[in-house]
Amino acid sequence: MDIITTIIYIVLFIIMMVFVFSIGMLRRYMPKREVLLVLAVAFFIGAIGGAFFLDPIYDELPAVASTVEKNMPYNEETLYLDLSSSIDTNQLREQLSSMEGFKSFDETSISIPMWSFNEKEHDYFESIVGNIDSHYEQYNVTSNSININLSQNYTASQALKSFSDWYKLVYDDTISYAQIKAVLVVDSAKLDDFEQALLSKGIVASHIEGPIQDSVNTTNSSMLSNVEFTLVCGGIGVIVAIIGIYMDSVVPAYRRFKKFMNTKRKR
């Protein structure tokens, strides 16, 4: 939300509170039993104003809080990506590395979905996967997939090709899909640019770590829900109405107190 829209929304809410205050000041022209009706109307107006004008601003607080972290030098954000094997990771690496704020891009592992293994099949793959390629130093065989950690300077496409060649030789079939896990590190100030570049390729980070995300998470955890915030705004309307109701009593009392203090100083 831009600053002009924010100011307009705040001004509109203030105008609503001035209206509520005016209703409260009309209390002396109403029967005493109408006080509850005035307070109910004040709560309703405050809640409506909060829901329509202040709530959109309140929802922007995490983004505002992250702005400070974006402008701090040397801050970095780590994006964890789940990529399809259909994506050309080399081309993606080249595109990302050409952008300002790029730090690193590493393919960390590849997950190959399989059928549901029985115990014998699971034991077989557990014993054979390490012999398919010398780069398969660390791997994990689950009940329906094979996960291979990628060593340095060894890409997902190389790991997938090795496994596909072996699978074709043994089972006379092909591997059509695998999931690649990658880690992208960028300058915090350029996070939005990288997220847009990834989104243009249909990629959304599964998880983000860094100062910006930490500030967003902290702010979100301390914020009220939309319903709670709307009720608080309704409470503000009630308080403003009460001030308006008792303004005729408060102002003279304040003047008497001020006069008393001035008299005391002269003595």
Side-chain angles (χ1 to χ4, degrees):
M1 183 181 297
D2 59 87
I3 186 66
I4 295 178
T5 303
T6 300
I7 293 174
I8 291 174
Y9 279 8
I10 293 175
V11 170
L12 289 174
F13 183 78
I14 292 174
I15 291 174
M16 295 182 74
M17 291 300 98
V18 171
F19 177 69
V20 169
F21 180 81
S22 301
I23 294 176
M25 291 194 69
L26 295 175
R27 160 66 185 83
R28 58 182 175 177
Y29 303 109
M30 303 177 186
K32 290 184 177 180
R33 63 177 180 272
E34 300 296 333
V35 174
L36 292 179
L37 178 61
V38 170
L39 296 180
V41 171
F43 178 84
F44 180 75
I45 293 175
I48 293 295
F52 281 95
F53 300 129
L54 296 188
D55 192 57
I57 300 173
Y58 188 67
D59 288 339
E60 293 291 325
L61 284 182
V64 173
S66 67
T67 301
V68 177
E69 298 295 344
K70 285 183 179 180
N71 295 316
M72 294 294 290
Y74 309 116
N75 276 354
E76 296 180 351
E77 301 295 315
T78 302
L79 292 79
Y80 295 88
L81 311 176
D82 293 329
L83 309 174
S84 168
S85 57
S86 61
I87 293 177
D88 187 339
T89 54
N90 291 326
Q91 183 183 38
L92 178 62
R93 182 195 302 273
E94 290 177 2
Q95 178 186 349
L96 296 175
S97 62
S98 66
M99 296 175 61
E100 183 182 359
F102 174 83
K103 293 295 183 180
S104 66
F105 177 82
D106 297 308
E107 299 169 41
T108 58
S109 66
I110 183 170
S111 178
I112 305 171
M114 306 292 283
W115 63 89
S116 295
F117 296 142
N118 57 39
E119 185 176 352
K120 184 177 180 180
E121 290 170 333
H122 180 277
D123 292 342
Y124 170 71
F125 278 101
E126 186 74 43
S127 62
I128 199 65
V129 170
N131 298 322
I132 296 175
D133 192 313
S134 60
H135 291 92
Y136 294 179
E137 297 176 357
Q138 294 182 341
Y139 62 90
N140 177 42
V141 179
T142 68
S143 60
N144 59 1
S145 68
I146 297 173
N147 306 307
I148 303 169
N149 293 336
L150 302 176
S151 57
Q152 192 173 10
N153 300 322
Y154 190 65
T155 65
S157 59
Q158 291 173 316
L160 182 58
K161 184 179 185 307
S162 294
F163 189 87
S164 298
D165 290 344
W166 172 85
Y167 192 80
K168 176 68 174 177
L169 181 64
V170 175
Y171 290 94
D172 194 27
D173 199 358
T174 58
I175 298 294
S176 58
Y177 173 80
Q179 186 181 69
I180 302 167
K181 292 187 179 295
V183 177
L184 172 65
V185 181
V186 302
D187 281 340
S188 294
K190 301 297 181 180
L191 176 62
D192 292 342
D193 295 340
F194 281 91
E195 287 186 316
Q196 286 298 321
L198 292 171
L199 189 60
S200 67
K201 292 184 173 295
I203 303 171
V204 178
S206 59
H207 181 59
I208 301 177
E209 292 180 355
I212 291 179
Q213 195 61 37
D214 290 344
S215 66
V216 170
N217 292 340
T218 300
T219 305
N220 281 330
S221 64
S222 61
M223 289 177 66
L224 301 173
S225 67
N226 290 342
V227 174
E228 292 171 336
F229 182 76
T230 300
L231 294 177
V232 169
C233 292
I236 293 174
V238 172
I239 293 173
V240 171
I242 292 174
I243 294 174
I245 291 172
Y246 293 101
M247 180 57 68
D248 291 339
S249 302
V250 172
V251 172
Y254 172 74
R255 289 174 178 171
R256 288 194 298 270
F257 176 76
K258 187 176 181 181
K259 183 178 179 181
F260 169 76
M261 293 300 295
N262 289 336
T263 304
K264 188 174 181 181
R265 289 196 190 100
K266 290 179 181 180
R267 291 178 182 177

